[in-house]
Every structure is written in structure tokens, then in C-alpha cells.
Amino acid sequence: MLGRGAAVGGALTLGPLLGGEAVAAADAGLAAPALGKGPKTGYEAIGVRPLINGRGTYTVLSGSLMLPQVRDAIDRASRKYVQLDELADAIGKRLAELTKAEFGMVSSGASAALGHASAACVAGGNPDLHVRLPDLTGFKKTEAIIPKHSRNVYEAAVSATGLKIVEVDTRAELKAALGPQTALVYVFAMPRVDKHELNTETIAELAHAAGVPVLVDAAAEILTIPNVHLARGADLVAYSGGKCLRGPQSAGLLLGRKDLVKAAWMHSAPHHGWARGFKVGKEEAMGMLAAVEMWVQRDHKAEYATWTSWLRDIARRVSVVRGLTTKIVQPEGLSNRTPSLTILWNAEKLGVKGQTIVDALWNGEPRIAINAAGGSDPAQSGVSITPYMLERGDAKTIATELVKLLRDPPPAPEPPKPPTVNASGTWALDIRFTASRSTAHELKLTQDGAKITGTHTGEFVSRPVTGTVSGDEVTVRSHYGEEHGDALDFAFKGRLKGNGISGELDMGEYLKASWSATRKS
């Protein structure tokens, strides 16, 4: 991982990969190209506000910033033609040398790597099977096993190949589920997996006894060499290219067993079939290779020390505000390995909650993204800052803006009003999505004072709801958790009049819609 400005230890060259010329230091700036005329250029020219990223490598915040060496490799790759199968083979061999894995492949992101790996485990490079994916009618391999601890939204890349997901939670359940129909076992890398009965070593032992490969999703992790997941028995491991590695955001890595990685390439673009849309260009491929080349040269201890020093600087600067407590938290395990700074205070005494500060920074100038935080004491509120996507000078900027807001807090949200309506009952919903309309959703609500409880039933699933009533405004939230392999968050807000409600629906990552509801008699 690399926060902008961390030391890499001297001038570096990547030889033939980057044309043999000396490359800029890792903290060199990137001048945005002018887009249009006038004082605004780059993103600003089209009305998009750049931001200071104190949250981390979130895809929705565009991941990380590419290293200068990566940008240089992309530029050079864009100037000549190559045959993509030959390029994939050469990159695969070089990735094997760099990572000590048997073979490697560049994909269009970690999710695509999971999909191609799953296809390799199902069809094994057989084009007769490949062209039928995701219809597995008549296939021998039709199931993917996922331990309960690994269910998450990213497993959609596995089921997209047509595989049925089989959930297990114990060693006995895994052993019973394994069979000739099992294509693979998928593991989501995180600290809790190592402490579980079904850790990677145990899974690999049982899976290999049944002739089944193990695929690890390590998208947000650092790239360990030799690879810790392969050493624990995994056959394949997928990484994001645009997170810790600071390669192209639209690229990823698949490492592991040579036969399966080569089959995964055959099941990817430029070849036809279900995965044609997951195309990785020569530019991203060479940029991703450059990121791995740099990964093995970077001084990771110096980078970590730099991030920690930035957090200490923020803590020192905000200490001028009385009543704050600060703590630098060091991570556990391998995932997203970066320190973070938690700043807490008594919300009532200071007159502001952490989320209000987070919102003000997001809407301010400069635009700053950090997280809200809380403490063991319910009266405590605060913020959390992750440093490894920061650039030089960002720590001072964040501290300065925090001090301003904490000394002169923005107005608190308007307190709720006593309810003037009753939302109890069964409500038939009419939701107008971006390009469709649904009347299949239903809310069953019970109101007790200003509080609401109940259920939200959609097209396929039901989930519990909580909510509040302020005056005639009704707010209802439902959540369908990742333990099911999906994550759906709906926040209905509208005004109730008689037996009708209408307003806006916030669906989180799926943006917004409008809705209305009619109370059933």
C-alpha cells in the first residue's frame, strides 16, 4: 500500500517495462489535463468536485491514485499494438516471477477475476462448455460452496457463472456438501476467517481431498510474497489492482495454479461468451504489471511510518480543541492494512455529533471524505480518518478544517416534532425506479409514539424495518444484510396525508427513486 508521498528509497527504473528511463518519485503530482476553456480544468470543467480521501480505497471514491510508474507504463502501452493472448502469457510468466505464484493474470478488476476463476473451475477451458455459461444445464459442476463467514456482496461474481451457492458453517457440513457437483469453495479473506473452525487451511484440506479447488477473495488486502493464501492451501487468489497496489482502478489480479489461471484467461475477454464484457486493455494490463513491479520495490515500512506520522500530526493539531480524545488504531490481519485515527468527544458538551462534522466536510471546500465514529460511551461521538490514500499536505488540511468546525459547529439537524399522524397499517407501495416501476413492494408498520417497527416485503425478500414519525413526515428504513450474499438498504421518507404517503426513496449505492403508498383497509 502507498499513501502519496511515502518513501520508496531512491531513483527506480523498471527496465524494458518502462522503456529503461528513470521514473519519477512515487509522490510526484499528476497534472490534470485541461477539459474546456476558462479557469476550471479536469473534473471541475464538467462540474465534478475532486476530494481529499481520508476514508480509504472505496471503489465509489475511485479507489486509489495510480503511481507515476503505472501512468508511464499505460502511456507507453497505448502507443503500440500487440496480440492480447501473447501479452497475457508474457504477463502471466512475469507475475509468477514477481509474486512466486505458479502463474498470474490481469483482469478488469477483482470481481472479474473471481468470475473468470469460477468459470475456469466450472468449464476448465473447454469452449463447448464456455459458450453455454451461465446456463449449467447438463454440466457436472453446478455448485459453489461458501462458508457462512464468507457470504458477502462480492460473491455475485461467482454465482454469475450460473453456480448455485451452498452455504456451510461447520467442518461436518463442508465435508457433507463436497461432491462431484462442487466446482469450488470460495473464501472471503478477513481476520475472522482465521479464527473460525473453517479457516483456509481446514477448507483446503477437505476440498482438496474431494478434488475441489479453493478460491480466495483478497481484493482489499496487501499482496504478500510468497502469498499467504496460496501457502495456506488456496489454489487461486484475487486482488484489486486499484487499491493497495495503486494500479489502474479498472484492473485486478488472479494468481495461483497455472492450469486454472490459464483457463481463467480463456474464459475472459477478448474471447467471446459470457465474460466478453470484462475486457482488459493492453494499457491496463501493462499498468497493472508495473504496479506489481513497484510493489516489490517499495519501502512498505517507510510508507507505514509516514501514514502514522500524518495521523499523529492531525491528533496534535486538533488537540487545541478542549474535550477531545484521540487514538491511533493499528489493524489486525492482512486486510486493508493501514492505521487509523479516532477522534472522540462528548456530543452534548461540544454541541455537535460526528456525522454532522462528516457531512459538513463532505459539503465543504475543499471536499473531504472521512468516517463518523463512536465510542463505548453512548454520549461519545466523533470521526475516524484513514491515511493511506492521503497526499502530502492533506493531513494539515483535514486538521485545520476539523478545528474550524469543532470550534464553530454547524447547526444541528432540526429536532423531531411530535407526531401528528399514525402510520400503522399495511401499505401498498408504488415505486418509480430509474427506468421501471414496481407495485410489488409492501410495508407493514406499527407505530408506538414516534417509533415505527414492521416489515418491508419486496419482489423476492422481506426484511425488518425501523422508523420514526416527525409531525406528518414518516421515515422508514429496511436492511437486507450481507449474510445472505446481498446488501439492500432502503430509506423511505415521505409525508402522510389521510391514507397516502409520497416522497423520496434513498437506496444507498443504488441511488434514489420516488415512491407513494396507499394504506390498505
Side-chain angles (χ1 to χ4, degrees):
M1 300 165 295
L2 182 61
R4 186 176 175 89
V8 294
L12 298 174
T13 61
L14 299 186
L17 180 62
L18 299 183
E21 298 178 7
V23 292
D27 62 349
L30 170 63
L35 296 176
K37 299 178 180 179
K40 293 184 177 181
T41 60
Y43 292 119
E44 293 93 336
I46 56 173
V48 175
R49 296 178 64 206
L51 56 91
I52 293 173
N53 184 358
R55 289 186 63 196
T57 55
Y58 291 88
T59 298
V60 73
L61 296 183
S62 61
S64 61
L65 296 182
M66 290 189 294
L67 294 169
Q69 295 86 350
V70 173
R71 298 196 299 267
D72 188 62
I74 288 174
D75 180 65
R76 292 177 185 277
S78 71
R79 298 170 186 268
K80 293 183 179 180
Y81 297 103
V82 292
Q83 205 278 344
L84 290 184
D85 293 315
E86 294 175 0
L87 178 63
D89 193 57
I91 287 178
K93 292 174 183 175
R94 181 58 180 155
L95 287 173
E97 294 171 357
L98 291 168
T99 67
K100 312 305 179 188
E102 286 187 20
F103 210 67
M105 170 189 145
V106 177
S107 62
S108 59
S111 183
L114 297 175
H116 301 325
S118 300
C121 295
V122 171
N126 182 340
D128 266 26
L129 300 180
H130 168 73
V131 296
R132 296 193 176 275
L133 297 177
D135 181 1
L136 301 188
T137 304
F139 279 55
K140 293 179 181 178
K141 308 288 187 182
T142 58
E143 294 179 357
I145 296 175
I146 303 181
K148 187 174 182 179
H149 60 55
S150 286
R151 298 300 303 271
N152 68 87
V153 292
Y154 306 106
E155 72 184 49
V158 177
S159 58
T161 58
L163 288 167
K164 174 187 174 184
I165 302 302
V166 176
E167 183 182 295
V168 298
D169 195 32
T170 65
R171 181 187 179 101
E173 289 177 0
L174 173 58
K175 194 170 183 179
L178 288 163
Q181 78 286 354
T182 309
L184 64 109
V185 182
Y186 166 89
V187 181
F188 189 44
M190 62 183 74
R192 73 177 184 225
V193 172
D194 299 333
K195 303 172 184 177
H196 196 276
E197 175 185 352
L198 288 180
N199 55 39
T200 304
E201 291 96 329
T202 300
I203 290 169
E205 174 193 344
L206 296 175
H208 292 165
V212 174
V214 175
L215 168 63
V216 171
D217 179 352
E221 287 196 4
I222 62 170
L223 176 61
T224 50
I225 302 173
N227 192 274
V228 64
H229 303 294
L230 299 178
R232 289 172 178 173
D235 300 273
L236 297 165
V237 57
Y239 291 92
S240 170
K243 289 184 168 59
C244 305
L245 288 166
R246 289 189 65 185
Q249 173 64 7
S250 56
L253 286 178
L254 181 66
L255 304 173
R257 248 176 64 183
K258 187 173 183 178
D259 61 331
L260 287 176
V261 176
K262 284 203 163 192
W265 170 254
M266 200 226 79
H267 292 297
S268 71
H271 315 110
H272 293 88
W274 79 280
R276 172 73 178 183
F278 302 118
K279 183 183 295 183
V280 58
K282 60 186 184 299
E283 297 84 6
E284 289 86 3
M286 291 300 288
M288 191 67 254
L289 179 58
V292 179
E293 296 271 7
M294 285 304 303
W295 179 262
V296 301
Q297 298 184 51
R298 284 157 51 184
D299 187 341
H300 298 290
K301 288 184 178 180
E303 293 168 6
Y304 207 94
T306 298
W307 303 332
T308 302
S309 72
W310 289 343
L311 296 183
R312 286 179 181 147
D313 186 52
I314 295 173
R316 179 183 61 81
R317 290 176 183 273
V318 300
S319 65
V320 297
V321 181
R322 291 185 178 181
L324 302 184
T325 61
T326 61
K327 182 180 180 181
I328 294 178
V329 181
Q330 302 294 348
E332 294 182 10
L334 294 172
S335 184
N336 267 322
R337 194 158 176 76
T338 170
S340 62
L341 171 67
T342 301
I343 305 172
L344 297 175
W345 59 83
N346 184 296
E348 186 174 340
K349 290 182 179 179
L350 213 59
V352 65
K353 292 184 177 181
Q355 187 60 53
T356 301
I357 297 294
V358 168
D359 294 341
L361 289 172
W362 179 258
N363 295 316
E365 185 59 47
R367 191 179 210 181
I368 299 172
I370 61 174
N371 287 313
S376 55
D377 183 349
Q380 285 186 316
S381 189
V383 298
S384 175
I385 301 161
T386 297
Y388 84 122
M389 290 300 105
L390 298 182
E391 302 178 71
R392 285 200 187 281
D394 286 346
K396 181 180 178 181
T397 301
I398 290 174
T400 300
E401 296 304 313
L402 277 173
V403 170
K404 287 180 186 177
L405 290 170
L406 291 170
R407 281 179 164 171
D408 184 17
E414 190 175 315
K417 302 173 184 176
T420 59
V421 294
N422 192 320
S424 296
T426 300
W427 297 84
L429 272 58
D430 182 354
I431 303 177
R432 291 165 290 285
F433 298 104
T434 304
S436 66
R437 185 174 182 176
S438 174
T439 56
H441 289 246
E442 182 181 82
L443 291 173
K444 288 186 177 181
L445 307 178
T446 299
Q447 182 175 334
D448 181 7
K451 294 183 178 180
I452 290 177
T453 57
T455 58
H456 167 208
T457 302
E459 262 84 2
F460 296 102
V461 299
S462 293
R463 50 272 205 191
V465 301
T466 57
T468 57
V469 179
S470 174
D472 65 351
E473 186 176 75
V474 178
T475 301
V476 176
R477 294 180 177 86
S478 71
H479 173 70
Y480 187 69
E482 279 195 80
E483 63 271 15
H484 307 288
D486 296 301
L488 299 172
D489 291 284
F490 280 44
F492 299 91
K493 180 178 283 189
R495 303 220 171 253
L496 191 159
K497 184 175 182 181
N499 289 315
I501 311 176
S502 61
E504 183 179 73
L505 169 60
D506 188 337
M507 299 176 290
E509 68 169 302
Y510 299 108
L511 307 181
K512 296 182 179 180
S514 60
W515 70 290
S516 60
T518 303
R519 181 156 33 197
K520 296 181 180 180
S521 59

